[in-house]
């Protein structure tokens, strides 16, 4: 690990001022990802600006939505009674990730911006376009069992690892940003980038821009939302495939639906093709099968992760069938 300076920011504005003043600064949330990367010398910031004094509040907004401060811990968010009743998929997604100790440290801002778990990215003796643009990608012909089948390029096929982000993408959350040029908001679906030719550019954040909050819009059907995660071990493992879902029925017609996938995309993957096939159609097994086919038609697996296509198909079918059944019952998920 290289030597670095440390500053604690009192608030977002001070954090940005410090970042603008310092050379090669990085914001520090819980440090559960960034510090690991610094130990491996993948990240070498000269200054760390601790942003854990940003808001830790979860605040009600009109209509039943919530604003979540960027420094709220994953544990506090998953344990909030309003989150558990209005957005249960978010609580489930968070609790399916990492360990209790890590969730106690990890923050909302840091979770969204955690970096991929591709083993080559962490190993500085290997070639990785994300770590070193233009170097090549050793995962292509190496070990890529955990890699993405959606949004890939010949430069990079690493998955985005966050479970929480998948739930937030399904909820159409908005990210509140603050930077040297002022405040702005971004749909969370626009926050992360596909790798294309530049896998090192992972988000739409501008230099020194800071996540200050995440906004959950009110959404009645989210009270029956689900998160299902398939992985190699029952705990402490990243997703092979995960599905965040919710459905609103009008009789036996699918009035509205939200679907997002984890473990399969280079960014948290909104399954828009499947949603388009489902909306306005009868709530039948045939409709589900057509929707899943439409989404998976865009999959571009590598030899070592082709199994994810079938795994995603089965997980999506199981999850959507459960969602429809819960929507018919009208009860809690
Ligand atoms: C063993 C292990 C298992 C794990 N399993 C899972 C899992 O199954 N599912 C899952 O989703 N995650 C998992 N994680 C990852 C964990 O959830 C993340 O490490 C954590 O959420 C990151 O949050 P943090 O606050 O510690 O971020 P940090 O490590 O502090 O920061 C991460 C990045 O975000 C930036 N950053 C932090 N806050 C802000 C902000 N407010 N604005 C702008 N930039 C900011 C930092 O500069 C850094 O680049 C696992 C981690 C470990 C170590
Ligand atoms: S898949 Fe992406 S992160 Fe992994 S080695 Fe290739 S370029 Fe690097």
């Amino acid at each position: 690990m290289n030597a670095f300076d440390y500053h604690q920011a009192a608030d977002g504005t001070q954090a940005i001022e410090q970042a603008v003043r310092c050379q090669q600064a990085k914001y520090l949330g819980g440090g559960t990802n960034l510090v690991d990367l610094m130990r491996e010398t993948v990240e070498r910031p000269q200054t760390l600006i601790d942003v854990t004094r940003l808001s830790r509040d979860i605040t009600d907004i009109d209509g039943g939505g919530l604003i979540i401060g960027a420094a709220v811990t994953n544990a506090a968010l998953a344990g909030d009674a309003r989150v558990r009743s209005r957005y249960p998929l978010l609580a489930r997604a968070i609790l399916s990730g990492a360990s209790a100790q890590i969730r106690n440290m990890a923050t909302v801002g840091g979770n969204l911006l955690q970096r991929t778990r591709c083993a080559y990215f962490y190993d500085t003796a290997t070639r990785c376009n994300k770590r070193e643009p233009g170097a090549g990608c050793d995962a292509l012909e190496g070990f890529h069992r955990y890699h993405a089948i959606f949004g890939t390029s010949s430069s990079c096929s690493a998955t985005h690892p966050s479970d929480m982000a998948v739930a937030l993408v399904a909820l159409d959350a908005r990210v509140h940003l603050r930077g040297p040029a002022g405040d702005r908001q971004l749909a969370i679906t626009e926050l992360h980038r596909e790798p294309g030719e530049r896998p090192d550019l992972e988000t739409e954040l501008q230099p020194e821009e800071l996540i200050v909050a995440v906004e959950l819009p009110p959404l009645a059907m989210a009270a029956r939302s689900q998160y299902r995660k398939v992985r190699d071990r029952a705990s402490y493992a990243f997703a092979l495939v995960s599905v965040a879902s919710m459905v609103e029925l009008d009789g036996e017609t699918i009035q509205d639906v939200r679907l997002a996938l984890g473990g399969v995309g280079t960014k948290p993957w909104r399954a828009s093709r499947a949603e388009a096939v489902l909306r306005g159609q009868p709530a039948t097994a045939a409709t589900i099968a057509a929707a899943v086919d439409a989404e998976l038609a865009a999959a571009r697996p590598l030899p070592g992760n082709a199994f994810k296509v079938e795994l995603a198909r089965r997980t999506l079918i199981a999850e959507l069938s459960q969602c429809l059944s819960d929507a018919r019952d009208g009860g809690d998920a």
Side-chain angles (χ1 to χ4, degrees), residues 3-301:
F4 58 88
D5 293 328
Y6 169 88
H7 298 291
Q8 178 139 55
D11 55 30
T13 305
Q14 194 184 74
I16 292 159
E17 283 166 7
Q18 288 170 338
V20 168
R21 238 185 356 257
C22 299
Q23 292 289 312
Q24 294 181 32
K26 290 282 295 188
Y27 296 124
L28 179 70
T32 61
N33 185 224
L34 179 56
V35 175
D36 279 356
L37 289 165
M38 289 169 65
R39 283 199 197 103
E40 301 293 338
T41 65
V42 175
E43 298 260 23
R44 299 173 198 193
Q46 289 185 9
T47 307
L48 285 184
I49 298 166
D50 187 331
V51 291
T52 54
R53 287 192 184 164
L54 262 62
S55 169
R56 291 201 167 210
D57 295 333
I58 302 174
T59 313
D60 284 290
I61 52 173
D62 285 349
L66 293 174
I67 305 255
I68 304 157
V72 171
T73 64
N74 288 190
L77 186 56
D80 187 274
R82 295 161 294 178
V83 172
R84 294 168 76 90
S85 62
R86 295 180 215 165
Y87 308 99
L89 87 169
L90 179 56
R92 287 180 187 180
I94 293 168
L95 292 175
S96 77
S99 65
Q101 291 92 334
I102 291 169
R103 294 192 296 268
N104 282 338
M105 290 296 292
T107 61
V108 167
N111 186 301
L112 289 178
L113 299 181
Q114 62 174 297
R115 305 196 70 190
T116 184
R117 310 304 289 200
C118 173
Y120 301 99
F121 176 66
Y122 279 74
D123 181 352
T124 53
T126 63
R127 295 180 306 156
C128 171
N129 287 320
K130 190 184 275 300
R131 190 168 17 80
E132 193 185 335
C137 169
D138 274 342
L140 264 182
E141 295 186 356
F143 184 74
H144 47 245
R145 181 170 182 271
Y146 294 106
H147 284 57
I149 58 174
F150 294 117
T152 61
S153 71
S154 56
S155 298
C156 181
S157 58
T159 44
H160 192 277
S162 168
D163 289 294
M164 184 175 85
V166 176
L168 293 177
V169 161
L171 290 168
D172 268 337
R174 293 191 69 76
V175 185
H176 294 206
L177 302 172
R178 181 165 301 161
D183 290 357
R184 65 177 180 129
Q185 293 186 17
L186 204 56
I188 191 156
T189 45
E190 306 300 320
L191 176 66
H192 300 97
R193 294 168 57 122
E194 292 180 21
E197 297 294 303
R198 291 295 305 271
D200 55 312
L201 302 177
E202 296 175 346
T203 71
E204 296 296 337
L205 292 189
Q206 298 298 310
E208 290 96 31
E209 214 166 21
L210 186 64
I211 295 178
V212 289
V214 170
E215 178 177 339
L216 301 182
L219 187 62
M221 67 175 162
R224 288 189 309 274
S225 57
Q226 316 250 8
Y227 189 76
R228 187 185 295 233
K229 177 171 171 178
V230 181
R231 49 190 157 165
D232 283 333
R233 292 188 304 266
S235 73
Y236 213 39
F238 289 88
L240 289 168
V241 173
S242 67
V243 179
S245 60
M246 61 201 101
V247 174
E248 189 73 64
L249 284 180
D250 180 5
E252 274 303 303
T253 301
I254 299 169
Q255 195 178 43
D256 201 2
V257 58
R258 299 286 179 80
L259 270 182
L261 305 176
V264 288
T266 51
K267 58 185 269 186
W269 197 255
R270 182 75 178 260
S272 315
R273 293 176 186 83
E275 287 182 4
V277 172
L278 290 164
R279 263 188 210 103
Q281 296 303 306
T284 62
T287 306
I288 291 177
V292 172
D293 281 347
E295 195 62 45
L296 291 175
R300 299 286 175 268

